[in-house]
Amino acid sequence: MNIAVVGLSHKTAPVEIREKLSIPEPQTESAIAQLTSYPHIDEVAIVSTCNRLEIYLVTSEVDHGIREVTQFLADHSKLPVISLRHHLFMLLHEDAVMHVMRVAAGLDSLVLGEGQILAQVKNTHKLGQQYNGIKTILNRLFKQAITAGKRVRTETSIGTGAVSISSAAVELAQMKVANLAACRVAILGAGKMSRLLVQHLISKGAGQITIINRSRERAQELTKQFPEQPIKIHLLSEMMAVIAESDLVFTSTSATEPILDRAKLELTLEPQCSLMLFDISVPRNVHADVNELANVQAFNVDDLKAVVAQNYESRRKMAQEAEKLLEEEVEAFDVWWRSLETVSTISCLRNKIETIREQELEKALSRLGSEFAEKHQEIIEALTRGIVNKILHDPMVQLRSQQDVEARRQCMQTLHVLFNLDAGEQFS
């Protein structure tokens, strides 16, 4: 079995490509079902965020498995394979393992050290298990990656004051306007990204904030987290009226199609009104055609790179410390991975010893007589099991912990010969 990852990110593809490949959470189950139906994919996990879409797979035939994933992505995005391939990266085993560790630690993020990605990796693990995409190998890999992400955040300072996509958007807004405190700000959406937007806007002095959301209850939950700030709430049906009265609009919803475009704004905005739009959603909430309006400026996640660059230099040394921790977690996973080779031998050995135990126990109990056997069978059963477990314990531990590949295979061969185990296992 081999581990591979096929995907694209803010490093390899612009937002207009990434949004075509985005897999919203409600579509995860059907995507996993489709991927696992392919003949060469045994396990699969999907990481889909505003800055990346990555598909991790376990396959016995790497070339075939990668081809199947690439075709799935082409079908999903409605982009021809030949143009899509230009944006994709593909990593195999050790590189794929290190990559998911770096992703979970925030070292591969647009904002170096950002914290939200770890929760997104945890969600990938949860959904992958829930929809039967993640089994033994990816379960271990993602658990190790989550451990790596937690260690980087607790054992280094990279997460201290780390900016997020939301805070970078607020920084960009502050760069574009003379006085953020004087601006009327509207936020579309009431999720985690919107909560961070409110938090950073308040810290920069913004005082006129309105939340626009489909559900009033969700918006109220958000505003309760900022009791000292008078935040207004409006429903999505009132969106255009609120935008007409705003100077800055941040969009962060799960909509899969643009909810703002040139036609809507043209009907709503007064000719003398100017408006700035900051869209941090993928797929985008704001259509590119709004830039055709003279009084409108629109920015998306790819426009945050200039802000993020300022953050990078100060965190680079911390990132180097984090890489050392990740190497330890990769090594821990690799030890476990190598031990999988011993599973078949251990299983054969245990089955053979267990068969002998059961046969000998049956003979002994028949000699003891039914009355004695019934009374003491449980004790004798426990005794024989205990003896078998103790005899097998050391050989199994030694075999699993053997680091040298050739030495481990020699041990496995020796066990097969000494115990005359089933010759089904191949050694190479």
Side-chain angles (χ1 to χ4, degrees):
M1 285 297 174
N2 302 279
I3 297 170
V5 57
V6 180
L8 77 176
S9 72
H10 60 96
K11 295 178 180 178
T12 68
V15 66
E16 54 266 26
I17 298 294
R18 298 201 305 274
E19 68 185 0
K20 292 180 190 298
L21 282 107
S22 174
I23 299 177
E25 192 169 313
Q27 294 177 23
T28 303
E29 182 176 10
S30 61
I32 287 175
Q34 187 174 340
L35 285 160
T36 52
S37 73
Y38 293 133
H40 300 99
I41 296 177
D42 296 282
E43 298 186 38
V44 71
I46 300 169
V47 177
S48 183
T49 73
C50 62
N51 279 320
R52 71 185 64 248
L53 183 281
E54 297 176 351
I55 296 182
Y56 293 82
L57 63 147
V58 173
T59 176
S60 55
E61 298 283 346
V62 172
D63 289 344
H64 290 297
I66 287 176
R67 200 173 298 125
E68 287 165 357
V69 170
T70 305
Q71 189 59 56
F72 165 82
L73 292 174
D75 294 343
H76 173 71
S77 63
K78 297 181 174 57
L79 293 170
V81 170
I82 194 163
S83 62
L84 179 60
R85 196 176 281 126
H86 174 68
H87 298 288
L88 294 179
F89 65 84
M90 297 162 196
L91 301 172
L92 304 181
H93 198 68
E94 291 87 353
D95 293 330
V97 171
M98 176 54 93
H99 181 73
V100 71
M101 303 281 179
R102 297 187 82 253
V103 168
L107 300 191
D108 196 65
S109 295
L110 174 65
V111 180
L112 189 63
E114 65 104 353
Q116 268 188 289
I117 188 64
L118 181 58
Q120 291 162 332
V121 170
K122 286 179 182 175
N123 196 45
T124 291
H125 183 227
K126 183 190 81 172
L127 294 176
Q129 288 183 304
Q130 185 178 332
Y131 301 133
N132 300 314
I134 289 181
K135 294 163 194 167
T136 305
I137 294 171
L138 288 186
N139 181 47
R140 181 67 179 232
L141 176 60
F142 272 81
K143 280 186 173 177
Q144 203 87 48
I146 290 163
T147 298
K150 288 176 179 174
R151 282 192 67 192
V152 166
R153 280 161 179 77
T154 55
E155 296 177 37
T156 75
S157 304
I158 200 163
T160 308
V163 294
S164 61
I165 295 294
S166 297
S167 67
V170 174
E171 290 280 348
L172 181 60
Q174 194 174 33
M175 288 163 59
K176 299 292 179 183
V177 298
N179 182 6
L180 198 57
C183 292
R184 298 163 297 174
V185 182
I187 299 173
L188 272 63
K192 194 169 187 178
M193 300 273 270
S194 296
R195 179 181 62 77
L196 291 170
L197 280 171
V198 173
Q199 179 183 317
H200 292 295
L201 283 164
I202 292 170
S203 73
K204 300 294 183 184
Q208 304 173 66
I209 301 172
T210 300
I211 303 293
I212 304 167
N213 197 53
R214 192 180 303 280
S215 152
R216 185 177 294 276
E217 290 73 26
R218 185 97 184 264
Q220 286 171 336
E221 283 174 26
L222 190 158
T223 58
K224 282 176 187 172
Q225 296 176 59
F226 304 95
E228 294 177 13
Q229 186 75 20
I231 300 172
K232 295 176 184 175
I233 294 174
H234 285 275
L235 294 177
L236 209 55
S237 56
E238 305 166 280
M239 175 180 73
M240 296 314 298
V242 175
I243 289 173
E245 298 295 321
S246 301
D247 303 302
L248 307 178
V249 176
F250 293 85
T251 63
S252 175
T253 81
S254 57
T256 55
E257 297 289 336
I259 53 180
L260 284 177
D261 57 24
R262 173 179 175 160
K264 286 181 182 175
L265 291 176
E266 220 164 15
L267 285 171
T268 305
L269 297 180
E270 294 292 335
Q272 72 277 12
C273 289
S274 62
L275 180 68
M276 283 190 189
L277 301 167
F278 299 87
D279 183 8
I280 58 173
S281 301
V282 178
R284 286 173 292 178
N285 288 171
V286 178
H287 198 287
D289 67 4
V290 302
N291 284 303
E292 296 166 10
L293 295 170
N295 54 337
V296 174
Q297 284 182 276
F299 306 92
N300 60 48
V301 285
D302 285 356
D303 295 310
L304 302 179
K305 288 178 180 176
V307 178
V308 168
Q310 300 169 6
N311 163 266
Y312 182 80
E313 275 308 309
S314 63
R315 295 181 184 281
R316 194 169 59 169
K317 189 174 275 190
M318 298 181 227
Q320 289 168 349
E321 293 171 27
E323 295 278 4
K324 292 174 188 171
L325 295 177
L326 297 189
E327 285 169 12
E328 292 173 17
E329 295 302 323
V330 169
E331 177 60 25
F333 177 80
D334 201 42
V335 167
W336 174 83
W337 173 266
R338 291 197 301 265
S339 77
L340 288 182
E341 189 179 37
T342 66
V343 169
S344 178
T345 297
I346 289 170
S347 179
C348 285
L349 179 59
R350 180 169 277 287
N351 288 341
K352 177 147 193 174
I353 302 296
E354 180 61 19
T355 301
I356 294 168
R357 183 192 74 81
E358 287 173 353
Q359 290 170 347
E360 294 305 309
L361 179 62
E362 196 175 327
K363 286 182 199 172
L365 291 173
S366 66
R367 291 193 199 108
L368 291 169
S370 59
E371 190 179 322
F372 181 89
E374 282 175 22
K375 188 176 181 182
H376 299 288
Q377 183 168 351
E378 225 175 90
I379 295 169
I380 299 169
E381 178 96 26
L383 171 68
T384 57
R385 280 190 188 280
I387 291 169
V388 165
N389 288 337
K390 281 186 167 57
I391 289 170
L392 291 177
H393 177 74
D394 283 349
M396 288 181 177
V397 168
Q398 291 300 318
L399 188 57
R400 284 195 190 103
S401 62
Q402 184 62 254
Q403 299 291 305
D404 183 82
V405 173
E406 286 309 315
R408 182 171 65 250
R409 289 179 175 175
Q410 187 59 51
C411 288
M412 289 159 65
Q413 182 71 65
T414 302
L415 283 172
H416 273 254
V417 171
L418 290 176
F419 287 91
N420 192 26
L421 301 178
D422 175 28
E425 179 131 357
Q426 296 297 313
F427 298 92
S428 55

